[in-house]
Amino acid sequence: MLNNSTLHFSIMKSFVETGMAPKVEQLATAFNCSTEETIAALKALEDIHGVVLHPHSSEVWVMHPFSTAPTNFYIESGERSWWGNCAWCSLGAAFLLDRDLTITTTLGAQSQQVIIEVKNGQLTPTNLYVHFPIPMQAAWDNVIYTCSTMLLFESQVQIDKWCQRHQINKGDVQPIEHVWEFAKVWYGNHLNPEWEKWSLAEAKTIFDRFNLTHDIWSLPCENKQF
């Protein structure tokens, strides 16, 4: 049966197992639906922020935490690889993949490369920080841009210099270990066949659980999905 949950699960399962999203025609075949019905279902899933489609083809571009397009976060395990959208997404992807892996990225999306290792569920190094400059209530105004700015840094001073250089307002800064624990909960249900998109109220509850109290994490009191 084709609905938001089953469609999300089918795409997410493909990402985890192959590093790629299924094409529209593959999804249509899997669900025994027409191409038109499949595209309509994909667009319905996009309406609740469950997927991001290419604007001119209706193919899957992003299903958080994974991307079909190259990003600044390259995840590897053995001969298999994936792209994560941002620091937060990449840690969530690492949890969903549930295997030893590395995340290769650059500090501030600039020249200094770092490699994050997840081995036996343990994260190293732990002396890095994730910067969240975009308010969560505006995150979906341009979610690709939002993700592109959630980057890793070595220090608050480095973040301050980066913000000044690129004229991007400084937001919240969290230790990578804290974001690792947060990402496990945030993305922990994304490979569930009965997945449902977090509501704003549920998102606020998770933010509170991890003491994410900076103004960046404020959300409106509306009956909508995050």
Side-chain angles (χ1 to χ4, degrees):
M1 179 179 178
L2 182 59
N3 56 42
N4 286 337
S5 298
T6 58
L7 183 57
H8 183 277
F9 176 71
S10 182
I11 297 169
M12 189 62 66
K13 187 170 184 287
S14 178
F15 265 121
V16 168
E17 293 180 351
T18 71
M20 298 178 288
K23 298 296 185 181
V24 170
E25 291 298 331
Q26 292 174 304
L27 288 168
T29 298
F31 285 99
N32 195 27
C33 294
S34 67
T35 299
E36 293 75 16
E37 289 172 321
T38 304
I39 290 174
L42 284 165
K43 289 183 176 179
L45 185 59
E46 184 175 47
D47 286 343
I48 64 166
H49 300 162
V51 70
V52 181
L53 306 178
H54 284 282
H56 302 297
S57 72
S58 298
E59 298 289 356
V60 174
W61 182 359
V62 163
M63 178 173 276
H64 295 89
F66 298 102
S67 172
T68 64
T71 71
N72 189 46
F73 292 85
Y74 186 60
I75 305 168
E76 290 181 280
S77 180
E79 296 182 353
R80 302 175 67 182
S81 62
W82 303 260
W83 282 304
N85 296 285
C86 62
W88 176 10
C89 281
S90 297
L91 294 170
F95 179 70
L96 288 177
L97 292 168
D98 191 26
R99 67 197 74 193
D100 293 349
L101 52 79
T102 59
I103 303 168
T104 302
T105 187
T106 53
L107 299 179
Q110 295 178 163
S111 59
Q112 185 177 346
Q113 188 180 80
V114 293
I115 297 177
I116 312 302
E117 183 177 29
V118 178
K119 188 172 184 179
N120 297 324
Q122 300 300 308
L123 185 77
T124 56
T126 58
N127 60 339
L128 297 172
Y129 298 88
V130 183
H131 180 217
F132 298 88
I134 308 299
M136 289 298 123
Q137 59 185 325
W140 283 92
D141 292 351
N142 184 340
V143 75
I144 302 300
Y145 174 74
T146 297
C147 284
S148 75
T149 65
M150 293 181 186
L151 302 168
L152 285 169
F153 295 87
E154 288 180 321
S155 67
Q156 293 273 4
V157 171
Q158 190 179 57
I159 295 170
D160 290 338
K161 291 180 178 178
W162 183 89
C163 289
Q164 183 177 14
R165 176 179 179 180
H166 299 291
Q167 297 185 0
I168 294 176
N169 291 332
K170 186 177 181 180
D172 191 28
V173 179
Q174 294 289 331
I176 189 172
E177 280 189 302
H178 192 60
V179 180
W180 171 231
E181 297 303 322
F182 167 51
K184 291 178 186 178
V185 173
W186 186 263
Y187 286 111
N189 198 42
H190 273 51
L191 200 53
N192 184 343
E194 298 180 1
W195 167 91
E196 291 185 3
K197 179 66 177 177
W198 296 125
S199 68
L200 288 173
E202 288 169 330
K204 290 171 71 174
T205 297
I206 297 173
F207 295 169
D208 289 343
R209 173 178 170 182
F210 287 92
N211 198 32
L212 300 173
T213 57
H214 189 283
D215 288 346
I216 285 292
W217 301 95
S218 296
L219 291 173
C221 295
E222 299 178 27
N223 187 24
K224 294 181 179 180
Q225 284 88 7
F226 175 75

